[in-house]
Amino acid sequence: MKAMTLPQDSAAPRLGAWALFSGMIAAAGLPIYIHAPKFYVDEYGVGLAALGGALVLLRLIDVAQDPLLGWLSERHERLRGRLVALCVVAMAAAMVALFAVTPPMAPLWWFAIALIVLFSAFSFLSISFYAEGVRKAAELGPQGHLRLAGWREGGALLGVSLAAVAPVALASVTDTPFTGFAFGFALVALVAAWAMRHEWGHAGDTARAPAEVALRDVLSDGLARRLLLLALVNATPVAVTSTLFLFFVESRLDSRGSEGPLLLLFFLSAAASTPVWSRLATWYGEKPVLLAGMLLAVLSFACAATLGAGDVLVFAAICAASGAALGADMTLLPAIFARRLSVIAPGAGAGFGLWSFVSKLTLAIAAGTLLPLLEARGFVSGGVNPDSALVLLTVLYAIVPCVLKLVAIGLLLVTPIPES
């Protein structure tokens, strides 16, 4: 068992800004895949298959865009603060356009245009944030990557929690909950950008690979490639369950109105678990602790496969367990990848461009495959569904993630993880 070393707390106040900014970015990621498809189906009658296809096409843009944004962030790191400010404004405006503005054109086109702007800004902010984090982790000393990950991913999970629940909570007090959500996000985005204003443009203080070779260095490193593959497979189960969560609660559990509390329980469990996973990793090592979190996720998915109408309390326990498992993934895997990048290409934004692309690709794969499958089986959001559609919903929500998580466990077992 490894001895625990507690770093000094002098940088803790500054890390609060990192947690806030991380929460703001995260609020524009996963919750969009939870809310946007159902919002456009219910509000504008857009088909599930059309929305899924649009999300896949948008991800194809990222194939070229994210590595280029990583290069841009790295090459112009002295201007990174100004570029970040521009992207924060763009992302806030896109969120308002997506949820608070009646489409002035065909809703599917408006959906696509708003998401192109939102996802592009999201990519640049994520890449720059994680690249700058390499410098910050070095400043924090021993266990710096784990310590920063605890604040950063904890903030991200709190941001996801609030963003996932806010529209549902606002629905009880206003007829336009998504309008309030969009403008609330815009305000938080501006506050977070202000709090982080002094943290940008310092990555150059740390020795790093030149921009033109950073991407090649990352892709030529066997461990980095394995970690990217592991991230892809391991994140896909969460992408699947996130895409189908609202449909599963409403139609499979027959519990319309429970979505908000269940989402809050899921993400708060993830947020509360992050310091626990981080502490356990300092004691026992990252790989065995990550394996434990992944096994907890498998157990959660397997239990969800047995549920039917009315099993809300059991599902609440599953949400708490699977949320805690997500906390392990979000805390430990980014820290492992960041530490590897600090060895092969310090400060390389291109490397985090790849990480950002992999993270978003899982959500696009989920939406692009699952939503058309459900529509083809006759599933109707909020309507009466045939048993075959509900069985397929259960298989997609629980069995598929369980199998994918087992594959991820196999990948992790054969991947050497150097300890910090």
Side-chain angles (χ1 to χ4, degrees), residues 88-147:
V88 167
V89 172
M91 189 162 67
M95 190 72 79
V96 171
L98 183 66
F99 288 120
V101 175
T102 301
M105 58 182 71
L108 184 61
W109 280 104
W110 187 250
F111 174 84
I113 292 170
L115 284 186
I116 287 175
V117 176
L118 191 150
F119 287 155
S120 297
F122 175 92
S123 292
F124 184 84
L125 293 174
S126 299
I127 292 164
S128 299
F129 187 61
Y130 275 85
E132 201 74 43
V134 174
R135 185 268 312 170
K136 189 68 173 181
E139 178 184 297
L140 293 174
Q143 301 289 340
H145 286 289
L146 272 179
R147 187 179 179 207

Short mmCIF file of all heavy atoms in Angstrom, two decimals, residues 88-147:
data_model
loop_
_atom_site.label_atom_id
_atom_site.label_comp_id
_atom_site.label_asym_id
_atom_site.label_seq_id
_atom_site.Cartn_x
_atom_site.Cartn_y
_atom_site.Cartn_z
N VAL A 88 -16.14 31.84 -24.64
CA VAL A 88 -17.16 31.85 -23.59
C VAL A 88 -18.40 32.62 -24.05
O VAL A 88 -19.54 32.17 -23.88
CB VAL A 88 -16.60 32.46 -22.29
CG1 VAL A 88 -17.73 32.76 -21.30
CG2 VAL A 88 -15.59 31.51 -21.64
N VAL A 89 -18.17 33.78 -24.67
CA VAL A 89 -19.30 34.57 -25.17
C VAL A 89 -20.04 33.79 -26.26
O VAL A 89 -21.28 33.76 -26.30
CB VAL A 89 -18.79 35.92 -25.71
CG1 VAL A 89 -19.92 36.66 -26.43
CG2 VAL A 89 -18.25 36.77 -24.57
N ALA A 90 -19.29 33.14 -27.17
CA ALA A 90 -19.91 32.38 -28.26
C ALA A 90 -20.74 31.22 -27.71
O ALA A 90 -21.86 30.96 -28.19
CB ALA A 90 -18.84 31.86 -29.21
N MET A 91 -20.21 30.53 -26.70
CA MET A 91 -20.93 29.39 -26.15
C MET A 91 -22.20 29.84 -25.43
O MET A 91 -23.25 29.21 -25.54
CB MET A 91 -20.03 28.60 -25.21
CG MET A 91 -20.62 27.28 -24.77
SD MET A 91 -19.41 26.12 -24.10
CE MET A 91 -18.93 26.97 -22.60
N ALA A 92 -22.12 30.95 -24.70
CA ALA A 92 -23.30 31.47 -24.02
C ALA A 92 -24.38 31.87 -25.03
O ALA A 92 -25.57 31.58 -24.85
CB ALA A 92 -22.91 32.66 -23.15
N ALA A 93 -23.97 32.52 -26.12
CA ALA A 93 -24.93 32.93 -27.15
C ALA A 93 -25.56 31.72 -27.82
O ALA A 93 -26.76 31.70 -28.12
CB ALA A 93 -24.22 33.81 -28.19
N ALA A 94 -24.76 30.68 -28.07
CA ALA A 94 -25.28 29.47 -28.70
C ALA A 94 -26.28 28.76 -27.80
O ALA A 94 -27.30 28.22 -28.27
CB ALA A 94 -24.13 28.53 -29.05
N MET A 95 -26.03 28.78 -26.49
CA MET A 95 -26.96 28.15 -25.56
C MET A 95 -28.30 28.88 -25.57
O MET A 95 -29.37 28.25 -25.55
CB MET A 95 -26.38 28.14 -24.15
CG MET A 95 -27.15 27.30 -23.16
SD MET A 95 -26.98 25.53 -23.43
CE MET A 95 -25.36 25.26 -22.67
N VAL A 96 -28.26 30.20 -25.60
CA VAL A 96 -29.50 30.98 -25.67
C VAL A 96 -30.23 30.70 -26.98
O VAL A 96 -31.46 30.51 -27.00
CB VAL A 96 -29.18 32.48 -25.53
CG1 VAL A 96 -30.42 33.32 -25.83
CG2 VAL A 96 -28.65 32.79 -24.13
N ALA A 97 -29.49 30.63 -28.08
CA ALA A 97 -30.11 30.35 -29.37
C ALA A 97 -30.76 28.97 -29.39
O ALA A 97 -31.85 28.77 -29.95
CB ALA A 97 -29.06 30.45 -30.48
N LEU A 98 -30.11 28.00 -28.77
CA LEU A 98 -30.60 26.62 -28.80
C LEU A 98 -31.90 26.45 -28.02
O LEU A 98 -32.83 25.77 -28.49
CB LEU A 98 -29.52 25.69 -28.23
CG LEU A 98 -29.81 24.20 -28.24
CD1 LEU A 98 -29.89 23.67 -29.67
CD2 LEU A 98 -28.72 23.44 -27.47
N PHE A 99 -31.98 27.07 -26.85
CA PHE A 99 -33.09 26.79 -25.94
C PHE A 99 -34.06 27.96 -25.72
O PHE A 99 -35.18 27.74 -25.27
CB PHE A 99 -32.56 26.36 -24.58
CG PHE A 99 -31.96 24.98 -24.55
CD1 PHE A 99 -30.64 24.80 -24.20
CD2 PHE A 99 -32.73 23.88 -24.89
CE1 PHE A 99 -30.09 23.52 -24.16
CE2 PHE A 99 -32.19 22.60 -24.85
CZ PHE A 99 -30.86 22.42 -24.49
N ALA A 100 -33.63 29.18 -26.00
CA ALA A 100 -34.45 30.33 -25.63
C ALA A 100 -34.97 31.12 -26.82
O ALA A 100 -35.70 32.10 -26.64
CB ALA A 100 -33.66 31.27 -24.71
N VAL A 101 -34.58 30.73 -28.02
CA VAL A 101 -35.00 31.46 -29.22
C VAL A 101 -35.84 30.52 -30.09
O VAL A 101 -35.42 29.40 -30.39
CB VAL A 101 -33.78 31.96 -30.02
CG1 VAL A 101 -34.23 32.61 -31.33
CG2 VAL A 101 -32.96 32.95 -29.18
N THR A 102 -37.02 30.98 -30.48
CA THR A 102 -37.83 30.20 -31.41
C THR A 102 -37.12 30.13 -32.75
O THR A 102 -36.73 31.18 -33.30
CB THR A 102 -39.21 30.85 -31.60
OG1 THR A 102 -39.87 30.94 -30.33
CG2 THR A 102 -40.07 30.04 -32.55
N PRO A 103 -36.89 28.94 -33.29
CA PRO A 103 -36.12 28.82 -34.53
C PRO A 103 -36.70 29.67 -35.65
O PRO A 103 -37.89 29.55 -35.98
CB PRO A 103 -36.23 27.33 -34.86
CG PRO A 103 -36.43 26.67 -33.53
CD PRO A 103 -37.27 27.63 -32.75
N PRO A 104 -35.88 30.54 -36.27
CA PRO A 104 -36.36 31.36 -37.39
C PRO A 104 -36.31 30.60 -38.72
O PRO A 104 -36.58 31.17 -39.77
CB PRO A 104 -35.37 32.53 -37.39
CG PRO A 104 -34.11 31.94 -36.85
CD PRO A 104 -34.51 30.91 -35.85
N MET A 105 -35.92 29.35 -38.66
CA MET A 105 -35.83 28.48 -39.84
C MET A 105 -36.29 27.09 -39.42
O MET A 105 -36.83 26.92 -38.32
CB MET A 105 -34.40 28.46 -40.37
CG MET A 105 -33.39 27.98 -39.34
SD MET A 105 -31.68 27.99 -39.95
CE MET A 105 -31.38 29.77 -40.02
N ALA A 106 -36.09 26.11 -40.28
CA ALA A 106 -36.45 24.74 -39.91
C ALA A 106 -35.76 24.37 -38.60
O ALA A 106 -34.55 24.58 -38.46
CB ALA A 106 -36.04 23.79 -41.02
N PRO A 107 -36.50 23.85 -37.61
CA PRO A 107 -35.90 23.57 -36.29
C PRO A 107 -34.66 22.70 -36.33
O PRO A 107 -33.73 22.92 -35.56
CB PRO A 107 -37.04 22.88 -35.53
CG PRO A 107 -38.29 23.42 -36.15
CD PRO A 107 -37.96 23.59 -37.60
N LEU A 108 -34.63 21.72 -37.24
CA LEU A 108 -33.45 20.85 -37.32
C LEU A 108 -32.22 21.63 -37.74
O LEU A 108 -31.12 21.41 -37.21
CB LEU A 108 -33.71 19.70 -38.29
CG LEU A 108 -32.59 18.66 -38.39
CD1 LEU A 108 -32.36 17.97 -37.04
CD2 LEU A 108 -32.92 17.62 -39.47
N TRP A 109 -32.38 22.57 -38.68
CA TRP A 109 -31.24 23.40 -39.12
C TRP A 109 -30.79 24.33 -37.99
O TRP A 109 -29.59 24.53 -37.77
CB TRP A 109 -31.62 24.21 -40.35
CG TRP A 109 -31.56 23.41 -41.62
CD1 TRP A 109 -32.61 22.89 -42.32
CD2 TRP A 109 -30.37 23.02 -42.33
NE1 TRP A 109 -32.16 22.21 -43.41
CE2 TRP A 109 -30.79 22.27 -43.45
CE3 TRP A 109 -29.01 23.23 -42.13
CZ2 TRP A 109 -29.90 21.73 -44.36
CZ3 TRP A 109 -28.12 22.70 -43.04
CH2 TRP A 109 -28.54 21.96 -44.14
N TRP A 110 -31.75 24.92 -37.30
CA TRP A 110 -31.40 25.81 -36.17
C TRP A 110 -30.67 25.03 -35.09
O TRP A 110 -29.69 25.51 -34.51
CB TRP A 110 -32.67 26.45 -35.63
CG TRP A 110 -32.44 27.50 -34.58
CD1 TRP A 110 -32.72 27.42 -33.26
CD2 TRP A 110 -31.88 28.80 -34.78
NE1 TRP A 110 -32.39 28.58 -32.61
CE2 TRP A 110 -31.86 29.45 -33.52
CE3 TRP A 110 -31.39 29.48 -35.90
CZ2 TRP A 110 -31.37 30.75 -33.35
CZ3 TRP A 110 -30.91 30.77 -35.73
CH2 TRP A 110 -30.90 31.39 -34.48
N PHE A 111 -31.16 23.82 -34.81
CA PHE A 111 -30.52 22.93 -33.85
C PHE A 111 -29.07 22.67 -34.25
O PHE A 111 -28.15 22.77 -33.42
CB PHE A 111 -31.31 21.61 -33.84
CG PHE A 111 -30.73 20.49 -33.00
CD1 PHE A 111 -30.98 20.42 -31.64
CD2 PHE A 111 -29.97 19.50 -33.60
CE1 PHE A 111 -30.47 19.38 -30.88
CE2 PHE A 111 -29.45 18.46 -32.85
CZ PHE A 111 -29.71 18.40 -31.48
N ALA A 112 -28.85 22.38 -35.53
CA ALA A 112 -27.50 22.07 -36.01
C ALA A 112 -26.58 23.29 -35.93
O ALA A 112 -25.42 23.18 -35.48
CB ALA A 112 -27.56 21.54 -37.44
N ILE A 113 -27.06 24.45 -36.36
CA ILE A 113 -26.22 25.65 -36.36
C ILE A 113 -25.83 26.04 -34.94
O ILE A 113 -24.67 26.36 -34.65
CB ILE A 113 -26.95 26.81 -37.07
CG1 ILE A 113 -27.09 26.51 -38.57
CG2 ILE A 113 -26.21 28.13 -36.86
CD1 ILE A 113 -28.00 27.48 -39.30
N ALA A 114 -26.82 26.03 -34.04
CA ALA A 114 -26.53 26.40 -32.64
C ALA A 114 -25.51 25.44 -32.03
O ALA A 114 -24.59 25.86 -31.31
CB ALA A 114 -27.82 26.40 -31.83
N LEU A 115 -25.63 24.15 -32.34
CA LEU A 115 -24.72 23.18 -31.76
C LEU A 115 -23.32 23.24 -32.37
O LEU A 115 -22.34 22.95 -31.70
CB LEU A 115 -25.29 21.77 -31.91
CG LEU A 115 -26.42 21.41 -30.94
CD1 LEU A 115 -26.80 19.94 -31.07
CD2 LEU A 115 -26.03 21.69 -29.49
N ILE A 116 -23.22 23.63 -33.63
CA ILE A 116 -21.89 23.80 -34.23
C ILE A 116 -21.11 24.87 -33.46
O ILE A 116 -19.95 24.69 -33.10
CB ILE A 116 -22.00 24.17 -35.72
CG1 ILE A 116 -22.42 22.96 -36.54
CG2 ILE A 116 -20.66 24.72 -36.24
CD1 ILE A 116 -22.68 23.27 -38.00
N VAL A 117 -21.78 26.00 -33.20
CA VAL A 117 -21.12 27.08 -32.46
C VAL A 117 -20.83 26.64 -31.03
O VAL A 117 -19.72 26.82 -30.50
CB VAL A 117 -22.01 28.35 -32.45
CG1 VAL A 117 -21.37 29.44 -31.59
CG2 VAL A 117 -22.23 28.85 -33.87
N LEU A 118 -21.81 26.02 -30.38
CA LEU A 118 -21.65 25.62 -28.99
C LEU A 118 -20.53 24.58 -28.85
O LEU A 118 -19.67 24.70 -27.98
CB LEU A 118 -22.98 25.05 -28.47
CG LEU A 118 -23.07 24.82 -26.95
CD1 LEU A 118 -24.52 24.99 -26.50
CD2 LEU A 118 -22.58 23.44 -26.55
N PHE A 119 -20.53 23.56 -29.70
CA PHE A 119 -19.53 22.50 -29.59
C PHE A 119 -18.13 22.99 -29.96
O PHE A 119 -17.14 22.52 -29.40
CB PHE A 119 -19.92 21.31 -30.46
CG PHE A 119 -21.07 20.51 -29.91
CD1 PHE A 119 -21.87 19.76 -30.75
CD2 PHE A 119 -21.36 20.50 -28.56
CE1 PHE A 119 -22.93 19.02 -30.26
CE2 PHE A 119 -22.42 19.77 -28.05
CZ PHE A 119 -23.22 19.02 -28.91
N SER A 120 -18.04 23.92 -30.92
CA SER A 120 -16.73 24.45 -31.28
C SER A 120 -16.12 25.23 -30.12
O SER A 120 -14.95 25.06 -29.78
CB SER A 120 -16.85 25.35 -32.52
OG SER A 120 -17.28 24.61 -33.64
N ALA A 121 -16.94 26.09 -29.51
CA ALA A 121 -16.46 26.83 -28.35
C ALA A 121 -16.15 25.89 -27.19
O ALA A 121 -15.13 26.04 -26.51
CB ALA A 121 -17.51 27.86 -27.92
N PHE A 122 -17.01 24.91 -26.98
CA PHE A 122 -16.79 23.91 -25.94
C PHE A 122 -15.45 23.20 -26.14
O PHE A 122 -14.69 23.00 -25.18
CB PHE A 122 -17.93 22.90 -25.96
CG PHE A 122 -17.78 21.74 -25.01
CD1 PHE A 122 -18.30 21.80 -23.74
CD2 PHE A 122 -17.12 20.58 -25.40
CE1 PHE A 122 -18.17 20.73 -22.86
CE2 PHE A 122 -16.98 19.51 -24.54
CZ PHE A 122 -17.50 19.58 -23.27
N SER A 123 -15.15 22.84 -27.37
CA SER A 123 -13.89 22.14 -27.66
C SER A 123 -12.69 23.00 -27.32
O SER A 123 -11.75 22.55 -26.65
CB SER A 123 -13.84 21.73 -29.14
OG SER A 123 -14.79 20.75 -29.43
N PHE A 124 -12.69 24.24 -27.79
CA PHE A 124 -11.54 25.09 -27.55
C PHE A 124 -11.35 25.35 -26.05
O PHE A 124 -10.23 25.33 -25.54
CB PHE A 124 -11.68 26.43 -28.28
CG PHE A 124 -10.46 27.30 -28.14
CD1 PHE A 124 -9.38 27.13 -28.98
CD2 PHE A 124 -10.38 28.28 -27.15
CE1 PHE A 124 -8.24 27.91 -28.84
CE2 PHE A 124 -9.26 29.07 -27.01
CZ PHE A 124 -8.18 28.88 -27.86
N LEU A 125 -12.45 25.58 -25.35
CA LEU A 125 -12.35 25.84 -23.91
C LEU A 125 -11.84 24.60 -23.17
O LEU A 125 -11.00 24.71 -22.27
CB LEU A 125 -13.71 26.26 -23.36
CG LEU A 125 -14.22 27.62 -23.84
CD1 LEU A 125 -15.63 27.87 -23.33
CD2 LEU A 125 -13.30 28.75 -23.40
N SER A 126 -12.34 23.44 -23.52
CA SER A 126 -11.91 22.20 -22.86
C SER A 126 -10.43 21.94 -23.11
O SER A 126 -9.67 21.62 -22.18
CB SER A 126 -12.73 21.01 -23.35
OG SER A 126 -14.10 21.18 -23.06
N ILE A 127 -10.01 22.10 -24.36
CA ILE A 127 -8.61 21.85 -24.72
C ILE A 127 -7.69 22.81 -23.98
O ILE A 127 -6.68 22.41 -23.38
CB ILE A 127 -8.44 21.98 -26.25
CG1 ILE A 127 -9.18 20.85 -26.96
CG2 ILE A 127 -6.97 21.98 -26.63
CD1 ILE A 127 -9.39 21.10 -28.44
N SER A 128 -8.02 24.08 -24.01
CA SER A 128 -7.18 25.09 -23.37
C SER A 128 -7.14 24.88 -21.86
O SER A 128 -6.10 25.04 -21.22
CB SER A 128 -7.72 26.49 -23.68
OG SER A 128 -7.70 26.74 -25.07
N PHE A 129 -8.28 24.53 -21.30
CA PHE A 129 -8.38 24.33 -19.86
C PHE A 129 -7.49 23.18 -19.39
O PHE A 129 -6.75 23.29 -18.42
CB PHE A 129 -9.85 24.06 -19.51
CG PHE A 129 -10.15 23.98 -18.04
CD1 PHE A 129 -9.92 25.06 -17.21
CD2 PHE A 129 -10.69 22.83 -17.50
CE1 PHE A 129 -10.22 25.00 -15.86
CE2 PHE A 129 -11.00 22.76 -16.16
CZ PHE A 129 -10.76 23.84 -15.33
N TYR A 130 -7.55 22.06 -20.10
CA TYR A 130 -6.74 20.90 -19.71
C TYR A 130 -5.26 21.13 -20.02
O TYR A 130 -4.39 20.68 -19.27
CB TYR A 130 -7.25 19.64 -20.39
CG TYR A 130 -8.39 18.99 -19.64
CD1 TYR A 130 -9.70 19.41 -19.84
CD2 TYR A 130 -8.16 17.99 -18.70
CE1 TYR A 130 -10.76 18.84 -19.14
CE2 TYR A 130 -9.20 17.41 -18.00
CZ TYR A 130 -10.50 17.84 -18.22
OH TYR A 130 -11.53 17.28 -17.51
N ALA A 131 -4.96 21.81 -21.13
CA ALA A 131 -3.56 22.10 -21.43
C ALA A 131 -2.95 23.01 -20.38
O ALA A 131 -1.82 22.79 -19.93
CB ALA A 131 -3.45 22.74 -22.82
N GLU A 132 -3.69 24.02 -19.97
CA GLU A 132 -3.20 24.91 -18.92
C GLU A 132 -3.07 24.17 -17.60
O GLU A 132 -2.24 24.49 -16.75
CB GLU A 132 -4.15 26.10 -18.76
CG GLU A 132 -3.54 27.31 -18.09
CD GLU A 132 -2.59 28.08 -18.99
OE1 GLU A 132 -2.92 28.28 -20.17
OE2 GLU A 132 -1.51 28.48 -18.50
N GLY A 133 -3.89 23.13 -17.45
CA GLY A 133 -3.84 22.34 -16.23
C GLY A 133 -2.55 21.58 -16.02
O GLY A 133 -2.18 21.27 -14.88
N VAL A 134 -1.82 21.26 -17.11
CA VAL A 134 -0.53 20.60 -16.97
C VAL A 134 0.44 21.50 -16.20
O VAL A 134 1.15 21.06 -15.30
CB VAL A 134 0.05 20.23 -18.34
CG1 VAL A 134 1.47 19.69 -18.22
CG2 VAL A 134 -0.84 19.20 -19.04
N ARG A 135 0.44 22.80 -16.54
CA ARG A 135 1.28 23.75 -15.83
C ARG A 135 0.83 23.90 -14.38
O ARG A 135 1.63 23.92 -13.45
CB ARG A 135 1.21 25.10 -16.55
CG ARG A 135 2.12 26.19 -16.01
CD ARG A 135 1.46 27.07 -14.96
NE ARG A 135 0.15 27.54 -15.35
CZ ARG A 135 -0.68 28.16 -14.53
NH1 ARG A 135 -0.34 28.35 -13.27
NH2 ARG A 135 -1.87 28.56 -14.94
N LYS A 136 -0.49 23.96 -14.19
CA LYS A 136 -1.01 24.13 -12.84
C LYS A 136 -0.67 22.93 -11.95
O LYS A 136 -0.32 23.09 -10.78
CB LYS A 136 -2.53 24.31 -12.90
CG LYS A 136 -3.16 24.71 -11.57
CD LYS A 136 -2.74 26.12 -11.19
CE LYS A 136 -3.47 26.61 -9.96
NZ LYS A 136 -3.07 27.99 -9.60
N ALA A 137 -0.77 21.73 -12.52
CA ALA A 137 -0.47 20.53 -11.74
C ALA A 137 0.99 20.51 -11.31
O ALA A 137 1.32 20.13 -10.18
CB ALA A 137 -0.80 19.28 -12.55
N ALA A 138 1.89 20.94 -12.21
CA ALA A 138 3.30 21.00 -11.85
C ALA A 138 3.54 22.00 -10.73
O ALA A 138 4.36 21.78 -9.83
CB ALA A 138 4.13 21.37 -13.08
N GLU A 139 2.79 23.09 -10.74
CA GLU A 139 2.91 24.12 -9.71
C GLU A 139 2.47 23.60 -8.34
O GLU A 139 2.97 24.03 -7.30
CB GLU A 139 2.05 25.32 -10.12
CG GLU A 139 2.01 26.46 -9.13
CD GLU A 139 1.05 27.54 -9.59
OE1 GLU A 139 1.29 28.13 -10.66
OE2 GLU A 139 0.05 27.80 -8.89
N LEU A 140 1.54 22.62 -8.35
CA LEU A 140 1.00 22.09 -7.10
C LEU A 140 1.93 21.07 -6.44
O LEU A 140 1.67 20.67 -5.30
CB LEU A 140 -0.37 21.46 -7.35
CG LEU A 140 -1.49 22.42 -7.75
CD1 LEU A 140 -2.75 21.66 -8.11
CD2 LEU A 140 -1.77 23.42 -6.65
N GLY A 141 2.94 20.61 -7.16
CA GLY A 141 3.91 19.71 -6.55
C GLY A 141 3.50 18.25 -6.62
O GLY A 141 2.74 17.86 -7.51
N PRO A 142 4.01 17.42 -5.70
CA PRO A 142 3.71 15.98 -5.72
C PRO A 142 2.20 15.72 -5.72
O PRO A 142 1.44 16.42 -5.06
CB PRO A 142 4.36 15.46 -4.43
CG PRO A 142 5.42 16.47 -4.11
CD PRO A 142 4.89 17.79 -4.58
N GLN A 143 1.78 14.72 -6.49
CA GLN A 143 0.36 14.37 -6.63
C GLN A 143 -0.45 15.53 -7.21
O GLN A 143 -1.67 15.61 -7.03
CB GLN A 143 -0.24 13.94 -5.28
CG GLN A 143 0.45 12.75 -4.64
CD GLN A 143 0.17 11.46 -5.37
OE1 GLN A 143 -0.78 11.35 -6.12
NE2 GLN A 143 1.04 10.46 -5.18
N GLY A 144 0.24 16.43 -7.94
CA GLY A 144 -0.45 17.61 -8.46
C GLY A 144 -1.57 17.28 -9.42
O GLY A 144 -2.62 17.92 -9.40
N HIS A 145 -1.35 16.27 -10.29
CA HIS A 145 -2.39 15.92 -11.25
C HIS A 145 -3.63 15.37 -10.56
O HIS A 145 -4.76 15.69 -10.94
CB HIS A 145 -1.84 14.90 -12.26
CG HIS A 145 -0.89 15.49 -13.25
ND1 HIS A 145 -1.31 16.35 -14.25
CD2 HIS A 145 0.45 15.37 -13.39
CE1 HIS A 145 -0.25 16.72 -14.98
NE2 HIS A 145 0.82 16.13 -14.47
N LEU A 146 -3.41 14.55 -9.52
CA LEU A 146 -4.56 14.02 -8.79
C LEU A 146 -5.27 15.13 -8.02
O LEU A 146 -6.51 15.17 -7.96
CB LEU A 146 -4.11 12.92 -7.83
CG LEU A 146 -4.05 11.50 -8.37
CD1 LEU A 146 -3.56 10.56 -7.29
CD2 LEU A 146 -5.41 11.05 -8.88
N ARG A 147 -4.50 16.03 -7.43
CA ARG A 147 -5.10 17.11 -6.64
C ARG A 147 -5.93 18.04 -7.53
O ARG A 147 -7.06 18.40 -7.19
CB ARG A 147 -4.01 17.88 -5.92
CG ARG A 147 -4.58 18.90 -4.93
CD ARG A 147 -3.48 19.63 -4.20
NE ARG A 147 -4.05 20.62 -3.30
CZ ARG A 147 -3.43 21.71 -2.93
NH1 ARG A 147 -2.22 21.97 -3.35
NH2 ARG A 147 -4.02 22.56 -2.10
#
